[in-house]
Amino acid sequence: MAYQAVTIKAGKGGFGGPLTLVPTDTRNKVVSVTGGGIHPVAAKIAEMTGCPAVDGFSTGVPDNEILVAIVDCGGTARCGVYPKKRIFTVNVLPVGQTGPLARFITEDIYVSAVDASCISFADASAAQAATPKAGTPTNPTSAPKTKAQAKEEIAKMNEGKPKNLATRIGIAIGGIVNKFYAAGRETIDITIKTILPFMAFVSMILGIISASGLGDVIANTISPIASTLPGMLIVSFICAIPFISPVLGPGAVIAQVVGTLLGVQIGLGNIPPQYALPALFAIDAQVGCDFIPVGMSLGEAEPETIELGVPAILYSRVITGPIAVLIAYVFSIGLYS
């Protein structure tokens, strides 16, 4: 089948790119991991390249068949999972190098803030110059080694060598120090690039709500619902509906903003404090639902496992969400008396 190469550039406020996608007979799937079916950007890329578009939430695709992954990640792990695998990644949100996998998000494999206007047919010279960077081993002349093979080779290399106790202790201590150093560096990096900007965002939202008088409207709307157990169960059920939960999940932004608003109302006395714990589980029923197919893929699950596992987990949230609220309600009895 004849495919067309396309070039994707970053949109306004975006990062990375431009990416030139050259489909082949083996690598030709446009995977949409956005929730709610095929994203318009994924549909546009599929239409222009002649490749099939696949909903990553309902169909598992082996990594070596993915031409490009379309995500709508606000800066959590999902935007870095596919770049870590060296799979071309298109983020429809204006997100740059952020999250725990930020070091894998590079301009040659990732582009963000993409809409339909950012996609164009690649000219012949760009398509010819495009190298198979994504998903290809650095040494194509030899097959990649498995972990077992690599361990076996290392064991053979070390076989017969004298074991120096002092050397082994030094190496072990050095490894521990390096791990703590790396953990500290990544913690500071995530705090500066992810946590602090979100804290500033929430502060701005609360300031706007307080100054505009919208807080009174929210209080009058949310307080009656969040002040009763049936209301909490309804909120949990709505958040866990399978076709809604993946849309509410990205970045956990919705849950965090609503949680902050509920905290303010509890502090003002509009909502009894014993409903704080049930409220937490009610608004968090959808957390992680956008990451389910990516997490399974990261765990090297089979495509059939992903196809069955994603709907199974999504539907299970409809049951476990309200149950979690009930359990939290029971444990909160007498907690604040």
Side-chain angles (χ1 to χ4, degrees):
M1 179 177 179
Y3 297 108
Q4 294 288 331
V6 297
T7 296
I8 305 174
K9 62 180 182 180
K12 185 177 180 181
F15 169 84
L19 306 181
T20 299
L21 309 182
V22 183
T24 65
D25 290 335
T26 56
R27 187 178 292 275
N28 55 18
K29 302 293 191 305
V30 179
V31 180
S32 178
V33 195
T34 55
I38 305 298
H39 193 276
V41 169
K44 182 69 173 179
I45 296 175
E47 176 187 348
M48 295 179 66
T49 58
C51 297
V54 179
D55 182 0
F57 274 85
S58 60
T59 305
V61 180
D63 291 344
N64 59 359
E65 296 182 11
I66 300 177
L67 173 66
V68 61
I70 316 299
V71 301
D72 60 348
C73 179
T76 52
R78 194 154 40 114
C79 61
V81 168
Y82 290 105
K84 182 180 180 181
K85 298 180 178 182
R86 300 301 296 168
I87 294 174
F88 286 124
T89 305
V90 171
N91 196 344
V92 298
L93 300 181
V95 175
Q97 292 177 301
T98 185
L101 301 177
R103 64 184 181 278
F104 300 106
I105 301 175
T106 56
E107 295 181 350
D108 64 327
I109 202 74
Y110 176 90
V111 66
S112 65
V114 174
D115 56 26
S117 64
C118 301
I119 309 167
S120 61
F121 287 107
D123 54 39
S125 58
Q128 188 174 3
T131 56
K133 298 175 183 176
T136 57
T138 54
N139 182 13
T141 59
S142 60
K145 298 182 179 64
T146 63
K147 292 181 180 180
Q149 290 174 331
K151 289 181 179 179
E152 186 178 351
E153 287 188 6
I154 294 173
K156 288 182 179 179
M157 291 171 58
N158 293 328
E159 188 177 355
K161 292 184 178 180
K163 297 181 180 180
N164 189 311
L165 180 61
T167 302
R168 291 171 60 186
I169 293 176
I171 293 174
I173 294 175
I176 294 173
V177 171
N178 286 335
K179 286 186 183 296
F180 276 108
Y181 173 74
R185 182 177 57 190
E186 290 186 11
T187 299
I188 297 298
D189 187 63
I190 292 174
T191 300
I192 294 175
K193 293 184 178 180
T194 304
I195 298 176
L196 292 180
F198 186 82
M199 291 174 64
F201 165 73
V202 172
S203 300
M204 180 194 70
I205 292 295
L206 292 178
I208 293 174
I209 290 174
S210 300
S212 63
L214 187 60
D216 297 332
V217 177
I218 293 174
N220 295 330
T221 304
I222 294 180
S223 296
I225 299 176
S227 300
T228 63
L229 180 59
M232 290 289 184
L233 293 174
I234 292 173
V235 171
S236 175
F237 177 79
I238 292 174
C239 290
I241 294 176
F243 62 87
I244 294 180
S245 55
V247 179
L248 298 178
V253 175
I254 302 297
Q256 294 185 63
V257 172
V258 174
T260 304
L261 296 177
L262 288 176
V264 172
Q265 297 306 314
I266 292 173
L268 294 174
N270 296 324
I271 299 175
Q274 62 263 30
Y275 287 101
L277 190 59
L280 174 66
F281 286 92
I283 64 176
D284 282 344
Q286 86 290 346
V287 170
C289 286
D290 61 312
F291 189 72
I292 293 169
V294 181
M296 288 187 173
S297 176
L298 192 61
E300 300 180 355
E302 296 292 335
E304 294 79 7
T305 304
I306 298 176
E307 291 181 20
L308 297 176
V310 171
I313 296 176
L314 291 179
Y315 281 107
S316 69
R317 289 292 183 89
V318 178
I319 301 173
T320 59
I323 291 177
V325 173
L326 290 174
I327 295 174
Y329 179 79
V330 171
F331 277 88
S332 64
I333 295 176
L335 189 61
Y336 300 96
S337 59

